[in-house]
Short mmCIF file of all heavy atoms in Angstrom, two decimals:
data_model
loop_
_atom_site.label_atom_id
_atom_site.label_comp_id
_atom_site.label_asym_id
_atom_site.label_seq_id
_atom_site.Cartn_x
_atom_site.Cartn_y
_atom_site.Cartn_z
N ALA A 26 0.74 13.12 -15.38
CA ALA A 26 2.18 13.07 -15.57
C ALA A 26 2.86 12.51 -14.33
O ALA A 26 2.53 12.85 -13.20
CB ALA A 26 2.70 14.48 -15.86
N ALA A 27 3.81 11.61 -14.56
CA ALA A 27 4.59 11.05 -13.46
C ALA A 27 5.87 11.87 -13.30
O ALA A 27 6.49 12.26 -14.27
CB ALA A 27 4.93 9.60 -13.74
N SER A 28 6.26 12.12 -12.05
CA SER A 28 7.41 12.97 -11.80
C SER A 28 8.36 12.30 -10.81
O SER A 28 7.92 11.70 -9.83
CB SER A 28 6.96 14.32 -11.24
OG SER A 28 8.07 15.06 -10.79
N THR A 29 9.65 12.42 -11.07
CA THR A 29 10.66 11.89 -10.14
C THR A 29 10.78 12.75 -8.90
O THR A 29 11.43 12.35 -7.93
CB THR A 29 12.03 11.82 -10.85
OG1 THR A 29 12.37 13.12 -11.35
CG2 THR A 29 12.00 10.83 -12.00
N GLU A 30 10.16 13.94 -8.93
CA GLU A 30 10.25 14.83 -7.78
C GLU A 30 9.26 14.45 -6.68
O GLU A 30 9.33 14.98 -5.58
CB GLU A 30 9.97 16.28 -8.23
CG GLU A 30 10.90 16.80 -9.32
CD GLU A 30 12.36 16.78 -8.88
OE1 GLU A 30 12.62 17.15 -7.72
OE2 GLU A 30 13.22 16.37 -9.68
N VAL A 31 8.35 13.55 -6.97
CA VAL A 31 7.30 13.18 -6.02
C VAL A 31 7.74 11.95 -5.23
O VAL A 31 8.24 10.98 -5.81
CB VAL A 31 5.98 12.89 -6.77
CG1 VAL A 31 4.91 12.41 -5.82
CG2 VAL A 31 5.52 14.14 -7.52
N PRO A 32 7.58 11.96 -3.91
CA PRO A 32 8.00 10.81 -3.09
C PRO A 32 7.28 9.53 -3.47
O PRO A 32 6.10 9.53 -3.84
CB PRO A 32 7.65 11.23 -1.66
CG PRO A 32 7.51 12.72 -1.72
CD PRO A 32 7.04 13.05 -3.09
N VAL A 33 8.01 8.42 -3.36
CA VAL A 33 7.46 7.10 -3.66
C VAL A 33 7.06 6.42 -2.36
O VAL A 33 7.83 6.42 -1.39
CB VAL A 33 8.51 6.22 -4.39
CG1 VAL A 33 7.91 4.87 -4.75
CG2 VAL A 33 9.03 6.93 -5.63
N PRO A 34 5.87 5.83 -2.29
CA PRO A 34 5.51 5.08 -1.08
C PRO A 34 6.49 3.95 -0.83
O PRO A 34 7.06 3.38 -1.77
CB PRO A 34 4.11 4.54 -1.41
CG PRO A 34 3.59 5.44 -2.48
CD PRO A 34 4.79 5.85 -3.28
N THR A 35 6.69 3.60 0.41
CA THR A 35 7.57 2.49 0.75
C THR A 35 6.77 1.20 0.88
O THR A 35 5.56 1.21 1.11
CB THR A 35 8.29 2.74 2.08
OG1 THR A 35 7.31 2.77 3.13
CG2 THR A 35 9.06 4.06 2.05
N THR A 36 7.47 0.08 0.75
CA THR A 36 6.81 -1.21 0.91
C THR A 36 6.26 -1.36 2.32
O THR A 36 5.13 -1.85 2.51
CB THR A 36 7.80 -2.35 0.60
OG1 THR A 36 8.20 -2.25 -0.77
CG2 THR A 36 7.18 -3.71 0.86
N ALA A 37 7.02 -0.90 3.31
CA ALA A 37 6.56 -0.98 4.69
C ALA A 37 5.30 -0.15 4.89
O ALA A 37 4.34 -0.58 5.57
CB ALA A 37 7.66 -0.53 5.65
N GLY A 38 5.25 1.03 4.30
CA GLY A 38 4.09 1.89 4.45
C GLY A 38 2.86 1.30 3.79
O GLY A 38 1.75 1.33 4.35
N LEU A 39 3.02 0.75 2.58
CA LEU A 39 1.89 0.14 1.89
C LEU A 39 1.42 -1.13 2.59
O LEU A 39 0.23 -1.41 2.66
CB LEU A 39 2.26 -0.16 0.43
CG LEU A 39 2.31 1.06 -0.50
CD1 LEU A 39 2.97 0.69 -1.82
CD2 LEU A 39 0.90 1.59 -0.75
N THR A 40 2.37 -1.88 3.14
CA THR A 40 2.00 -3.08 3.89
C THR A 40 1.14 -2.73 5.09
O THR A 40 0.11 -3.36 5.36
CB THR A 40 3.24 -3.85 4.33
OG1 THR A 40 4.00 -4.23 3.17
CG2 THR A 40 2.87 -5.10 5.12
N ALA A 41 1.53 -1.69 5.79
CA ALA A 41 0.76 -1.26 6.95
C ALA A 41 -0.64 -0.80 6.55
O ALA A 41 -1.63 -1.01 7.27
CB ALA A 41 1.49 -0.13 7.68
N ALA A 42 -0.76 -0.20 5.37
CA ALA A 42 -2.04 0.34 4.92
C ALA A 42 -2.97 -0.73 4.35
O ALA A 42 -4.20 -0.61 4.45
CB ALA A 42 -1.80 1.43 3.87
N LEU A 43 -2.38 -1.79 3.75
CA LEU A 43 -3.19 -2.72 2.95
C LEU A 43 -3.32 -4.13 3.51
O LEU A 43 -4.27 -4.84 3.15
CB LEU A 43 -2.60 -2.82 1.53
CG LEU A 43 -2.54 -1.53 0.72
CD1 LEU A 43 -1.85 -1.79 -0.61
CD2 LEU A 43 -3.94 -0.97 0.48
N GLU A 44 -2.40 -4.56 4.33
CA GLU A 44 -2.34 -5.98 4.69
C GLU A 44 -3.60 -6.46 5.39
O GLU A 44 -4.08 -7.58 5.15
CB GLU A 44 -1.11 -6.26 5.54
CG GLU A 44 -0.75 -7.73 5.65
CD GLU A 44 -0.25 -8.32 4.33
OE1 GLU A 44 0.12 -7.56 3.42
OE2 GLU A 44 -0.23 -9.57 4.23
N GLU A 45 -4.17 -5.65 6.25
CA GLU A 45 -5.38 -6.08 6.95
C GLU A 45 -6.52 -6.35 5.98
O GLU A 45 -7.23 -7.36 6.09
CB GLU A 45 -5.79 -5.03 7.98
CG GLU A 45 -7.03 -5.43 8.79
CD GLU A 45 -7.40 -4.41 9.84
OE1 GLU A 45 -6.61 -3.46 10.06
OE2 GLU A 45 -8.47 -4.56 10.45
N ASP A 46 -6.71 -5.47 5.01
CA ASP A 46 -7.77 -5.68 4.03
C ASP A 46 -7.44 -6.81 3.07
O ASP A 46 -8.35 -7.52 2.61
CB ASP A 46 -8.03 -4.39 3.24
CG ASP A 46 -8.93 -3.42 4.00
OD1 ASP A 46 -9.72 -3.89 4.85
OD2 ASP A 46 -8.85 -2.21 3.75
N ALA A 47 -6.17 -6.98 2.74
CA ALA A 47 -5.79 -8.06 1.82
C ALA A 47 -6.11 -9.43 2.41
O ALA A 47 -6.26 -10.41 1.67
CB ALA A 47 -4.31 -7.97 1.47
N THR A 48 -6.21 -9.51 3.72
CA THR A 48 -6.53 -10.78 4.39
C THR A 48 -7.95 -10.78 4.97
O THR A 48 -8.29 -11.65 5.77
CB THR A 48 -5.52 -11.05 5.51
OG1 THR A 48 -5.52 -9.96 6.44
CG2 THR A 48 -4.12 -11.23 4.95
N ALA A 49 -8.78 -9.83 4.54
CA ALA A 49 -10.13 -9.72 5.08
C ALA A 49 -10.99 -10.92 4.68
O ALA A 49 -10.87 -11.46 3.58
CB ALA A 49 -10.79 -8.44 4.56
N LYS A 50 -11.86 -11.34 5.57
CA LYS A 50 -12.72 -12.50 5.32
C LYS A 50 -13.62 -12.28 4.10
O LYS A 50 -13.96 -13.22 3.39
CB LYS A 50 -13.56 -12.81 6.55
CG LYS A 50 -12.77 -13.37 7.72
CD LYS A 50 -13.68 -13.71 8.89
CE LYS A 50 -12.89 -14.30 10.05
NZ LYS A 50 -13.78 -14.62 11.20
N ALA A 51 -14.01 -11.04 3.85
CA ALA A 51 -14.91 -10.75 2.74
C ALA A 51 -14.29 -11.02 1.38
O ALA A 51 -15.00 -11.17 0.38
CB ALA A 51 -15.39 -9.30 2.81
N LEU A 52 -12.95 -11.09 1.32
CA LEU A 52 -12.27 -11.41 0.06
C LEU A 52 -12.03 -12.91 -0.10
O LEU A 52 -11.72 -13.36 -1.20
CB LEU A 52 -10.93 -10.67 -0.04
CG LEU A 52 -11.00 -9.15 -0.15
CD1 LEU A 52 -9.59 -8.58 -0.36
CD2 LEU A 52 -11.93 -8.70 -1.28
N GLY A 53 -12.15 -13.65 0.97
CA GLY A 53 -11.91 -15.08 0.87
C GLY A 53 -10.44 -15.42 1.00
O GLY A 53 -9.59 -14.57 1.32
#
């Protein structure tokens, strides 16, 4: 179930978590 009471991740937070892997050499 999805709830409006649960915090939503921010774009800045997800960028910090994912950007390094999104540009990883192993993905091309």
Side-chain angles (χ1 to χ4, degrees):
S28 170
T29 56
E30 303 300 318
V31 176
V33 183
T35 66
T36 297
L39 284 168
T40 300
L43 299 176
E44 196 68 17
E45 182 177 352
D46 278 335
T48 57
K50 290 182 179 180
L52 294 185

